[in-house]
Amino acid sequence: MERERGGLRRVRDWRVSPGDLQAILGARHGDPFGVLGPHMTDAGLAVRAFVPHADSLAVVGVDDRLFVNLTRKHAHGFFEGLVPDLMPGKLYKLRAQNGGGMWELYDPYAFPPVLGTLDDYLFAEGTHQRIFERLGAHVVEHEGVPGVHFAVWAPNARRVAVVGDFNSWDGRRHQMRLRRGSGVWEIFAPDIGEGIAYKYEIVGPQGELLPLKADPVGFSAEMRPSTASVIARIDNFTWNDAAHREARSTGDARRKPMSVYEVHLGSWARGEDNRFLTYDELADRLIPYVRDMGFTHMELMPITEHPLDASWGYQPVGMFAPTRRFGDPAAFARFVDRAHQYGLGVILDWVPAHFPVDAHGLARFDGTHLYDHADPRRGFHPDWNTAIFNFSRNEVSATLVSNAIYWLDVFHIDGLRVDAVASMLYLDYSRKAGQWIANEDGSNDNREAVAFLRRVNELAYAQFPGTATIAEESTAWSGVSAPTYMGGLGFGFKWNMGWMHDTLDYMSQEPVHRKWHHERMTFGMVYAYTENFMLPLSHDEVVHGKKSILGRMPGDEWQRFANLRAYYGFMWAQPGKKLLFMGQEFGQSAEWNFNQGLDWHLTEFAVHAGVQRLVRDLNQLYRITLALHRRDCEPEGFRWIVSDDAEQSVFAWLREGGEDEIAPVAVVSHFTPVLREGYRIGLPHAGRWREILNTDAGLYGGGNNGNGGAILAEPVPSHGFPASAVITLPPLATVYFEYEPE
């Protein structure tokens, strides 16, 4: 019978039993700390150790004083013996010898646990918000000795060992201690540090040896196709972004300009021989470019570690690891810090909806459906052949909540765009009858996922002021961006997928047919203020045969580029924050190809450079013109002037800041390829209205048709306004006019 006494296990006999010996040698012991290490026995203090390849083994004090030579119990390297001069709780070393020489090591089984009962309680309860500080591989000093503390959740495993370069991938060397209150296994491995590859070797509940598993809370990983986790520190980054974070925390994000450049880091640009650029190279090239283009934020497609390039990061295996494709965690921290010093926010695409079933990942992690539902009607995505997280399990929810906090805290990320929210909200998402399980009342809402999303949003906004959470949600679910105290999901913004599909459909029509699709461009205003919307032209719209945005525009070359410029002008003046996928800012002709860099050579041609210049100017105008962003999410910021001129494909509206001192901006979009002169629009004020943007300007590649830099509104009522002006509408163009009070 064993019991704890004075910090040590007590056993009657200092000699190992045959059964325990065979279990240790076979790496099948469920309680290795009950066998190995120091123990109080009826005969005194004994030490047992397993050191493969050692012919002899001695217990040595840290002052090099020899205590005793241990007896070799088995040729594979199992030793034991009484050590009468060793004080209980006193650290010691093991001195091993064989024909090749001598080496010393600390005994990992001589160290007490690192984790405490509070960690067990909070994790099991599902309220631990910083799992990443306790699980994973942490470089620490424990009992005065440097090393790495490993901890992993595997409650149904019979045995867990950490294996890696430091122990020759031998599962017998570092068999871990089970914390029965939480199902977490831990061990402190002395005298190792950063840069070492490791995995977990797990024996499942039926005694089966599972494929080696990467660390679910690993902070770094090997470069694919290798799949091991890598020990890395996350507590020693240097930050120079205090000013950015302070500015971020002030004001209402809904009333700030937000123009987002969506980036896939692996294909924005490539180095020689088509290699990936590093985080540091991207910091030198990408960040100045994005700032020069006038965007306020970058949104990074998932940089969490993923095994397959073709998944673009949306099939993550290492949720806590910035992908090794571009460097280590410290390099990614430098990238974010550089962006912040340039005044750019960094949004991370975050994928808590599902995970791939790669053998080294979360699938059947401890031999059971630990992270997902066992029933495929709740635990498997038919669209993506992936597993669905079991949000009803406290530990799973706590791990994912902690992951969100991890990116916002450790890496100073400015926001999370949550992927595939619709698939999380509905139990019957993309399923036929009989393929899903309803709630007890027959409803189809995934209540555990809803609770999880609300908790993430509450914690993000409470703990990290000024950050933003953004939902990619494509259904009519009510209150996605409403506060949780009002029954909403608590997101800051929601992608307006309906607006995107409607307007792209309209723009793809030949101009002569557009009058029959006029409502596609106006319908978005019917629901524009039901959520805090972001208008996205994302990566999903330029792949899989959809063509690039330019490729969707009809007509000859002149018309295609004019259409694109007019459409961007329309988009930037519509209510809602903006998002544009990389390459579309210069009118990339081809679809996006994740295997190569963008077609940057196109910017040498005037028509592409003109689009690029237009996007730069639109961003600048959007940032400095309060009427164009201050009331993006409030109905006071928008009034139609002309919404029903389908015959001439003209749309005109007013953007206002909701305050008298903010000058209104009138916007007119014209989507036919003819010049229209003498077109009257109503305006709220008589006087001079300056033409502040014209997508037909020559510097953008247009025909330079316009209004001579300004229009003069007369006190002639029109369109329900007290004043009006007669203007020239360039062909396939959008024009902005800002009121200049006397």
Side-chain angles (χ1 to χ4, degrees):
M1 181 68 68
E2 299 181 357
R3 63 182 184 274
E4 300 284 349
R5 181 179 177 182
L8 298 179
R9 294 285 188 96
R10 180 170 180 84
V11 296
R12 291 184 181 276
D13 194 343
W14 62 270
R15 288 161 295 201
V16 67
S17 71
D20 283 339
L21 175 60
Q22 290 305 312
I24 292 294
L25 295 176
R28 287 294 193 277
H29 206 292
D31 183 20
F33 280 83
V35 178
L36 298 170
H39 297 272
M40 292 303 301
T41 74
D42 291 345
L45 193 139
V47 170
R48 302 187 187 121
F50 176 68
V51 182
H53 312 300
D55 294 332
S56 65
L57 192 69
V59 174
V60 181
V62 292
D63 57 0
D64 285 338
R65 186 167 62 90
L66 180 67
F67 286 122
V68 71
N69 288 308
L70 301 180
T71 300
R72 188 163 73 163
K73 183 71 174 180
H74 194 281
H76 285 184
F78 191 97
F79 296 83
E80 64 182 2
L82 294 171
V83 190
D85 293 335
L86 180 62
M87 295 292 295
K90 192 75 172 178
L91 281 179
Y92 59 88
K93 287 187 174 182
L94 300 172
R95 179 176 292 165
Q97 283 187 292
N98 62 20
M102 181 181 71
W103 68 99
E104 288 188 355
L105 64 153
Y106 279 101
D107 184 357
Y109 294 95
F111 290 86
V114 173
L115 301 179
T117 55
L118 182 60
D119 294 309
D120 295 336
Y121 177 79
L122 294 178
F123 184 46
E125 186 184 53
T127 56
H128 206 308
Q129 298 175 14
R130 305 178 73 84
I131 292 298
F132 56 89
E133 292 183 344
R134 313 307 285 160
L135 301 186
H138 291 268
V139 179
V140 297
E141 187 175 284
H142 187 41
E143 299 291 303
V145 177
V148 174
H149 175 246
F150 296 94
V152 64
W153 180 53
N156 303 303
R158 286 192 180 182
R159 187 274 292 161
V160 179
V162 59
V163 296
D165 295 336
F166 62 97
N167 63 10
S168 302
W169 298 86
D170 186 342
R172 302 171 297 173
R173 300 274 296 275
H174 289 83
Q175 300 177 60
M176 303 172 77
R177 170 193 284 114
L178 173 63
R179 303 187 63 82
R180 299 189 183 279
S182 60
V184 171
W185 300 73
E186 69 166 333
I187 194 169
F188 174 71
D191 289 336
I192 66 171
E194 293 184 84
I196 296 174
Y198 72 97
K199 283 186 175 182
Y200 293 110
E201 185 180 279
I202 300 174
V203 174
Q206 307 305 317
E208 72 279 21
L209 183 64
L210 303 177
L212 292 180
K213 294 289 188 178
D215 192 341
V217 191
F219 304 129
S220 187
E222 291 183 309
M223 178 67 171
R224 58 97 178 99
S226 298
T227 56
S229 300
V230 176
I231 298 169
R233 290 184 62 181
I234 57 170
D235 59 351
N236 61 345
F237 303 150
T238 300
W239 294 98
N240 303 282
D241 64 347
H244 170 85
R245 299 181 82 194
E246 175 64 26
R248 185 188 74 184
S249 67
T250 60
D252 184 347
R254 296 173 304 167
R255 293 188 170 184
K256 292 181 180 181
M258 191 174 187
S259 181
V260 181
Y261 187 64
E262 188 187 27
V263 183
H264 179 258
L265 292 181
S267 57
W268 181 75
R270 291 285 182 100
E272 62 279 3
D273 299 322
N274 204 37
R275 69 168 177 85
F276 291 127
L277 299 181
T278 67
Y279 289 120
D280 290 312
E281 289 174 317
L282 288 163
D284 289 338
R285 295 173 56 179
L286 170 62
I287 290 171
Y289 174 78
V290 176
R291 184 185 68 169
D292 179 65
M293 287 299 298
F295 290 96
T296 64
H297 293 73
M298 281 183 292
E299 180 177 317
L300 307 182
M301 291 170 64
I303 56 87
T304 41
E305 192 57 76
H306 51 284
L308 183 66
D309 291 357
S311 79
W312 313 333
Y314 291 102
Q315 301 254 5
V317 166
M319 290 285 283
F320 290 83
T323 178
R324 175 63 66 168
R325 288 167 175 81
F326 319 118
D328 61 14
F332 179 64
R334 291 193 297 271
F335 176 88
V336 176
D337 190 54
R338 178 81 69 86
H340 287 174
Q341 292 179 60
Y342 273 70
L344 293 172
V346 179
I347 299 167
L348 180 67
D349 264 19
W350 189 51
V351 189
H354 59 110
F355 60 89
V357 294
D358 296 67
H360 69 282
L362 300 181
R364 297 188 63 84
F365 186 79
D366 64 355
T368 69
H369 289 275
L370 186 62
Y371 285 91
D372 57 328
H373 291 273
D375 191 322
R377 292 175 295 175
R378 283 215 172 180
F380 189 76
H381 260 310
D383 287 354
W384 305 312
N385 292 321
T386 54
I388 301 171
F389 283 108
N390 182 355
F391 299 106
S392 65
R393 185 153 194 169
N394 289 343
E395 298 90 342
V396 173
S397 180
T399 300
L400 291 172
V401 168
S402 293
N403 185 248
I405 292 174
Y406 169 80
W407 292 106
L408 298 174
D409 185 14
V410 174
F411 289 98
H412 293 196
I413 294 297
D414 299 279
L416 300 172
R417 177 266 193 184
V418 185
D419 181 63
V421 171
S423 74
M424 301 171 68
L425 297 178
Y426 299 95
L427 297 171
D428 60 345
Y429 179 85
S430 195
R431 296 176 187 273
K432 299 176 182 178
Q435 295 179 341
W436 61 286
I437 304 173
N439 296 315
E440 291 184 0
D441 61 2
S443 57
N444 68 340
D445 55 315
N446 189 334
R447 294 166 186 175
E448 291 84 6
V450 168
F452 162 75
L453 291 170
R454 286 173 172 164
R455 180 164 176 75
V456 168
N457 287 321
E458 288 170 350
L459 291 174
Y461 282 101
Q463 296 185 17
F464 307 97
T467 56
T469 59
I470 305 159
E472 185 214 16
E473 204 286 313
S474 55
T475 74
W477 185 283
S478 178
V480 171
S481 59
T484 57
Y485 65 79
M486 295 178 61
L489 294 181
F491 284 94
F493 299 96
K494 172 183 172 175
W495 275 18
N496 194 337
M497 314 288 277
W499 178 93
M500 175 190 69
H501 290 305
D502 285 346
T503 58
L504 283 175
D505 178 73
Y506 177 89
M507 293 304 302
S508 68
Q509 305 295 325
E510 292 287 347
V512 69
H513 298 141
R514 284 174 175 166
K515 62 184 177 181
W516 308 111
H517 302 269
H518 194 77
E519 75 287 347
R520 294 281 189 182
M521 300 294 266
T522 60
F523 182 66
M525 290 310 305
V526 173
Y527 59 88
Y529 302 106
T530 58
E531 302 279 1
N532 301 324
F533 279 122
M534 177 175 286
L535 310 182
L537 295 178
S538 75
H539 65 277
D540 280 327
E541 305 315 308
V542 295
V543 290
H544 301 323
K546 295 179 182 178
K547 303 179 181 179
S548 66
I549 303 299
L550 175 65
R552 297 189 185 203
M553 302 296 125
D556 58 23
E557 180 180 272
W558 178 86
Q559 289 196 14
R560 289 191 300 114
F561 279 93
N563 272 308
L564 183 67
R565 295 192 302 267
Y567 181 45
Y568 285 168
F570 177 88
M571 172 181 173
W572 255 258
Q574 285 277 291
K577 309 308 178 185
K578 326 300 176 191
L579 180 138
L580 187 65
F581 182 59
M582 65 180 196
Q584 309 315 303
E585 80 276 11
F586 60 79
Q588 175 148 315
S589 304
E591 282 191 344
W592 168 51
N593 181 351
F594 69 90
N595 275 320
Q596 64 186 43
L598 298 177
D599 295 331
W600 289 106
H601 65 279
L602 294 178
T603 59
E604 299 173 8
F605 298 93
V607 285
H608 292 278
V611 173
Q612 188 179 43
R613 189 175 295 113
L614 171 66
V615 172
R616 181 187 293 114
D617 288 352
L618 283 169
N619 279 329
Q620 175 70 5
L621 201 61
Y622 173 66
R623 292 177 74 152
I624 67 174
T625 308
L626 296 181
L628 291 177
H629 68 254
R630 181 65 63 87
R631 302 284 176 161
D632 263 340
C633 303
E634 301 164 71
E636 295 83 2
F638 180 93
R639 280 193 284 172
W640 279 116
I641 300 172
V642 178
S643 63
D644 56 355
D645 190 357
E647 190 63 34
Q648 300 184 90
S649 298
V650 174
F651 307 85
W653 64 95
L654 201 68
R655 292 301 307 275
E656 298 174 292
E659 303 167 31
D660 291 339
E661 64 272 19
I662 298 178
V665 174
V667 182
V668 185
S669 287
H670 171 221
F671 291 111
T672 67
V674 298
L675 180 69
R676 298 192 188 279
E677 298 179 311
Y679 195 94
R680 183 175 292 274
I681 60 169
L683 293 168
H685 307 292
R688 189 173 189 270
W689 290 70
R690 185 168 59 95
E691 187 179 83
I692 58 174
L693 184 123
N694 180 350
T695 65
D696 191 50
L699 75 163
Y700 303 139
N704 258 338
N705 299 287
N707 294 273
I711 58 175
L712 190 64
E714 310 167 288
V716 176
S718 182
H719 299 101
F721 290 89
S724 62
V726 175
I727 65 174
T728 295
L729 298 181
L732 296 174
T734 296
V735 187
Y736 295 13
F737 303 98
E738 183 178 43
Y739 177 59
E740 291 188 335
E742 296 180 359

